[in-house]
Amino acid sequence: MSAYHVVIIGGGATGAALAHDLTLRGVRVTVVERGEVTSGTTGRHHGLLHSGARYAVKDPESARECIQENTILRRIAPGSFELNDGLFVALTDEDLAYYDDFMEGCAATGIPTRTLSREEALRLEPNLNPDLKLAVQVPDGTMDAMRLPLRFLATAKHNGARVLPYHQVTELVFQGRAVAGVRGRDHARNRDFTLTADLVVNAAGPWAEHIARLAGVDVPVVPSPGVLVAVYGRWTHMVINRLHRAGDGDIVVPQRTLSVIGTSSWVVDDPDHLDVPEEHIRLMYEKGAEMIPALAQAPMRAAWAAARPLVGSRQAESGRELSRTFKVFDHADEGVEGFVTIVGGKATTARAMAEVTADLVVRKLGLDAPCRTREVVLLPHTAYYA
Amino acid sequence: MSQTTRTVQLRVYRYKPGDPAPRYDTFAVTATPRTTVLEALQAIRRDQDPSLTLRHSCHHASCGTCGMVVNGREVLACVTLLADLDAPVTVEPLQNAPLISDLVVDMGPFYATFAQAGMPLVRTSENQAGSRPAPGVEALTRFESCLECGLCVSACPVAATDPLYLGPAALAAAWRVVQEPRGADPAQVLAWVDQEHGCWRCHLAFECSTVCPNEVQPGQSIAALRGRLVQGDGLRERPAGAAATPVPPPPAAQRRGLAAWFDPRGRDVGYWAFVLHRLTGLALVLYLALHLWVLSLLARGSQAWDDFIALARSPLFLALDVLLLFGVLFHGLNGLRVALVGLGVAAARHKTLFWMLMAVLVVALLIGGWGLVAAAHP
């Protein structure tokens, strides 16, 4: 292991995958997280292992990332996914008109598809709206939003990384114009802490802008919350998507004994203030029931909001227009050495985000260490607590 | 939001390593009818006290991270509405797990045991009624129902006194492996649970099944494991040399100890039966001592005996006699239930069985009580 020490701010999916990647490259890693790991955006997504099909038309870069990572994750995290596939269902003539673009987009981005007739789709999923026109089967899957990142963290810990939950960073330590560590509060023990580092990575998701400001730099991250509603009952086996442009309530993910309807999309300034507007809950029920009519009567288990950390301009209105891809910032470009920010992306692409970030980190540290996370099979999530 | 809001008081358990003793801090939060305990705690951390530590992740009862004890009951904070609780709402960490800070417990010992059961996270999906999967998707999978939240272990009166007990979650996982081996060896798992601190340690309070947020029913699984073991094939399947796995002593946990055996407040009927069974058992032992002392009066002559007979006709003494009869009937009848349920018979209907036997108890108590009074005052 090299003498270099990297501190990662943020114990979400990105920080977890990055800790794993850098540890495999021989870097000493410490992850600091304000709360429990995966307690921010990561744990709260709808639990979709993306095929990428949702982005095939409008955001081919994200689509390509998703299908590549989907394939890699199935290999390195066996047992972490419900291998249940997904359907894109066309309900209206307008949906049907989208079909050609959709199939073209999937073909161009390498997403396998299989078109099912109305009858075939209903035989597979009898609870679908019987008025559906056709459906397209894609390799979506259900994942456990918390347990996949735990496997990254478990493997990183096993390989020597330190994970410090309840450690809130309040200040960056500077040596001249270079970031040389972090300072903050250990809430578990009610005491201050300081960690020195050769490089600090800001992987704070929707809080990334807040952390960047501690270094006097700016990152274009837009916290874009969405409301999700979990209802009792598993009404389909497969993930059900609406075959049209991305919109509100266009996905239902079966997870354990629940079905999760998502999502809406708006934009906030502070990811710590997330409302769950009543009308969004109603909208999720309404839109979900268009695809699966029984959802209208399914009792609600929970409604919650999570803030996507989208890359883009602060002028964004709903967040829908922003790409779901990710971006790495080397703040040396703004005159601050030793400080890197990674924002954007999705749970499905966390490993790829980590790979690109780690490539930059090792280059900056002057190390020659290739990425190994495409091959290394992750430890089970239970090993995180060992 | 256009909903009515109100102010709710929360009494939150606070402890940091090095504190001489835990304390409770009271916070006022603004709540709508939809506000959950988790959201209230997040608001407290955000607006009032950033040093409050808690665990949470998925916010819809799928990850099992936000288990805590709210008003004396184990719940997932993310699906527990403040509106459904009596105020002030008391929030405490899970029991029977090492405390780290405030509401955060160390899940290490839980997972150390749970992982030994070897239950895979995914299983083959159950087909829906009418669903016939197309070729290529026959092997649909879904997640296991257990959320690994630890509520069952916290609620278990046996885990409160036996730090080595495998606990309801791990035993339920073990039963899943026996039911659906999925490549694992059921004989190994049966050998693992067939030990002093394994499935035999359970005293059938069934509180694990009551607090389980996802209907895993660990209590019934434990009974099923015993049933399988006493049927013999489990024992025959035991591989050579596969003696019970020694379990390393876990780190110190917050345990209520014997207090958990005698305090059924806020608990379900199985737990009340568990407590009453212990109380009646102890009372019957005490009665036996008393009985021997009374018999010893015979040795002191007829006068002492006659005095005692007069005492025995007093209303107070008759009342104690009826109480004694209740104790005998309860301990005997519930003992029958425990024996049946404990061997896997009628475990799913243990509550029905309990109330049926209690109906028998009431009838027998009325008849017996009348008989006692009639015999004393003919």
Side-chain angles (χ1 to χ4, degrees):
Chain A
M1 197 154 279
S2 80
Y4 291 116
H5 180 218
V6 170
V7 167
I8 299 169
I9 304 172
T14 315
L18 183 59
H20 170 59
D21 190 316
L22 286 173
T23 309
L24 283 181
R25 299 194 205 213
V27 178
R28 271 197 311 129
V29 173
T30 303
V31 178
V32 286
E33 161 59 49
R34 183 179 77 159
E36 171 63 300
V37 294
T38 78
S39 63
T41 298
T42 293
R44 287 183 237 175
H45 71 75
H46 37 29
L48 175 66
L49 174 67
H50 264 282
S51 62
R54 170 49 71 213
Y55 307 120
V57 177
K58 291 270 286 192
D59 193 355
E61 191 185 357
S62 296
R64 224 170 263 120
E65 284 163 11
C66 282
I67 188 61
Q68 282 168 11
E69 290 308 308
N70 180 307
T71 314
I72 293 169
L73 287 176
R74 285 168 194 249
R75 193 169 64 231
I76 66 170
S80 271
F81 309 106
E82 293 190 13
L83 300 177
N84 46 351
D85 280 2
L87 286 183
F88 277 73
V89 296
L91 299 178
T92 63
D93 290 336
E94 198 192 333
D95 294 355
L96 264 187
Y98 189 68
Y99 173 79
D100 288 341
D101 286 349
F102 179 80
M103 296 302 281
E104 221 168 86
C106 286
T109 49
I111 299 164
T113 54
R114 189 168 75 129
T115 302
L116 305 177
S117 69
R118 174 182 173 276
E119 289 69 30
E120 285 173 309
L122 284 172
R123 200 170 61 235
L124 277 171
E125 297 290 1
N127 289 324
L128 285 177
N129 184 342
D131 294 337
L132 74 109
K133 311 275 185 194
L134 58 79
V136 182
Q137 190 175 347
V138 296
D140 283 342
T142 298
M143 71 157 97
D144 197 307
M146 176 188 74
R147 288 177 176 82
L148 177 66
L150 284 187
R151 294 184 70 166
F152 281 118
L153 287 174
T155 316
K157 269 173 83 172
H158 182 79
N159 291 326
R162 268 196 310 169
V163 182
L164 303 176
Y166 317 109
H167 280 58
Q168 181 167 21
V169 171
T170 54
E171 209 183 320
L172 297 175
V173 179
F174 276 90
Q175 264 177 4
R177 286 289 286 153
V179 174
V182 297
R183 211 171 270 139
R185 188 77 176 162
D186 170 1
H187 292 306
R189 285 170 194 77
N190 259 357
R191 64 185 186 202
D192 296 331
F193 74 91
T194 303
L195 291 168
T196 57
D198 299 290
L199 193 140
V200 173
V201 180
N202 170 13
W207 291 271
E209 190 192 15
H210 173 78
I211 296 294
R213 257 191 245 123
L214 301 178
V217 294
D218 198 32
V219 291
V221 57
V222 182
S224 167
V227 164
L228 298 101
V229 174
V231 301
Y232 284 98
R234 196 178 164 96
W235 300 95
T236 58
H237 279 317
M238 292 197 231
V239 177
I240 306 300
N241 305 266
R242 182 78 178 262
L243 184 69
H244 64 21
R245 285 186 303 109
D248 292 337
D250 61 3
I251 182 164
V252 180
V253 182
Q255 191 184 56
R256 294 201 162 81
T257 54
L258 304 173
S259 298
V260 178
I261 316 171
T263 56
S264 56
S265 184
W266 72 101
V267 167
V268 296
D269 291 328
D270 180 0
D272 279 323
H273 281 89
L274 300 180
D275 277 347
V276 183
E278 206 61 28
E279 59 271 23
H280 288 224
I281 298 176
R282 273 199 301 276
L283 185 66
M284 290 308 109
Y285 260 104
E286 207 174 283
K287 289 290 180 185
E290 285 179 15
M291 298 190 287
I292 305 166
L295 291 179
Q297 265 76 51
M300 191 172 91
R301 175 66 148 159
W304 72 103
R308 309 170 182 90
L310 300 183
V311 192
S313 100
R314 209 58 40 74
Q315 273 74 55
E317 279 177 7
S318 75
R320 290 263 183 240
E321 63 273 35
L322 298 176
S323 166
R324 301 305 162 89
T325 189
F326 57 87
K327 206 161 159 46
V328 185
F329 298 89
D330 180 353
H331 296 292
D333 299 345
E334 296 126 282
V336 178
E337 258 307 338
F339 189 52
V340 166
T341 294
I342 166 75
V343 282
K346 333 190 41 65
T348 300
T349 60
R351 190 217 60 86
M353 297 166 72
E355 177 175 344
V356 174
T357 312
D359 282 347
L360 173 65
V361 169
V362 294
R363 200 161 62 239
K364 286 177 72 71
L365 294 174
L367 295 171
D368 180 21
C371 178
R372 289 172 52 208
T373 58
R374 286 164 191 259
E375 293 82 33
V376 174
V377 175
L378 301 172
L379 291 176
H381 72 280
T382 51
Y384 173 71
Y385 301 94
Chain B
M1 264 186 272
S2 59
Q3 292 166 327
T4 48
T5 59
R6 64 191 181 112
T7 302
V8 179
Q9 306 277 330
L10 275 84
R11 280 179 73 239
V12 183
Y13 183 98
R14 304 303 301 274
Y15 172 81
K16 305 287 181 189
D19 285 359
R23 64 173 199 279
Y24 289 85
D25 285 350
T26 302
F27 302 96
V29 294
T30 310
T32 72
R34 279 215 202 278
T35 303
T36 63
V37 172
L38 174 56
E39 286 165 342
L41 293 169
Q42 284 185 289
I44 290 169
R45 191 180 60 174
R46 183 189 65 209
D47 303 329
Q48 303 186 47
D49 186 351
S51 75
L52 176 64
T53 54
L54 63 145
R55 303 180 67 232
H56 61 105
S57 185
C58 82
H59 292 221
H60 65 285
S62 188
C63 73
T65 308
C66 65
M68 38 191 93
V69 178
V70 175
N71 283 358
R73 282 292 278 263
E74 284 75 8
V75 296
L76 293 179
C78 68
V79 287
T80 304
L81 299 177
L82 284 181
D84 293 341
L85 299 165
D86 293 333
V89 175
T90 304
V91 187
E92 296 163 309
L94 292 180
Q95 294 279 334
N96 307 332
L99 183 62
I100 292 179
S101 160
D102 299 333
L103 302 171
V104 177
V105 296
D106 179 5
M107 294 300 281
F110 173 91
Y111 275 104
T113 319
F114 186 84
Q116 280 191 67
M119 178 181 73
L121 188 58
V122 284
R123 53 181 290 231
T124 307
S125 199
E126 292 147 0
N127 284 334
Q128 302 186 125
S131 158
R132 277 190 291 130
V137 289
E138 307 94 297
L140 290 170
T141 56
R142 65 183 287 180
F143 288 132
E144 277 289 353
S145 290
C146 177
L147 307 178
E148 305 162 9
C149 59
L151 301 195
C152 54
V153 175
S154 174
C156 173
V158 174
T161 49
D162 179 6
L164 296 179
Y165 180 39
L166 298 182
L171 290 169
W175 174 242
R176 291 288 301 134
V177 174
V178 174
Q179 271 185 310
E180 275 183 31
R182 285 172 266 165
D185 179 5
Q188 290 277 358
V189 176
L190 284 169
W192 177 57
V193 302
D194 185 13
Q195 52 150 308
E196 183 189 351
H197 303 285
C199 63
W200 304 109
R201 195 74 185 77
C202 168
H203 283 247
L204 306 157
F206 282 100
E207 196 64 12
C208 49
S209 300
T210 300
V211 300
C212 177
N214 224 22
E215 294 173 30
V216 171
Q217 305 209 316
Q220 285 77 356
S221 298
I222 294 168
L225 282 170
R226 291 174 172 190
R228 177 59 65 89
L229 285 166
V230 291
Q231 279 160 28
D233 52 335
L235 296 168
R236 274 199 302 280
E237 281 166 22
R238 179 189 281 237
T245 324
V247 185
Q254 297 270 108
R255 286 178 213 281
R256 292 174 68 204
L258 275 176
W261 285 36
F262 298 102
D263 180 7
R265 280 176 301 170
R267 299 297 185 181
D268 203 7
V269 54
Y271 205 111
W272 282 86
F274 167 87
V275 170
L276 213 47
H277 202 75
R278 265 123 210 94
L279 287 174
T280 50
L282 285 173
L284 290 174
V285 169
L286 283 176
Y287 168 76
L288 193 64
L290 191 69
H291 183 67
L292 289 172
W293 175 75
V294 167
L295 284 182
S296 73
L297 293 177
L298 284 173
R300 298 202 349 226
S302 59
Q303 186 54 47
W305 184 248
D306 288 345
D307 290 349
F308 172 72
I309 297 297
L311 178 68
R313 290 208 169 104
S314 72
L316 176 70
F317 205 92
L318 281 172
L320 287 174
D321 262 356
V322 174
L323 199 62
L324 171 67
L325 183 60
F326 168 81
V328 170
L329 285 169
F330 183 88
H331 204 80
L333 290 168
N334 190 54
L336 191 65
R337 164 180 164 270
V338 166
L340 286 173
V341 170
L343 295 177
V345 182
R349 308 211 166 224
H350 74 94
K351 285 189 201 175
T352 316
L353 186 60
F354 177 78
W355 292 118
M356 279 165 56
L357 290 167
M358 286 307 105
V360 173
L361 179 145
V362 168
V363 173
L365 192 62
L366 285 173
I367 297 171
W370 180 81
L372 282 169
V373 174
H377 299 285

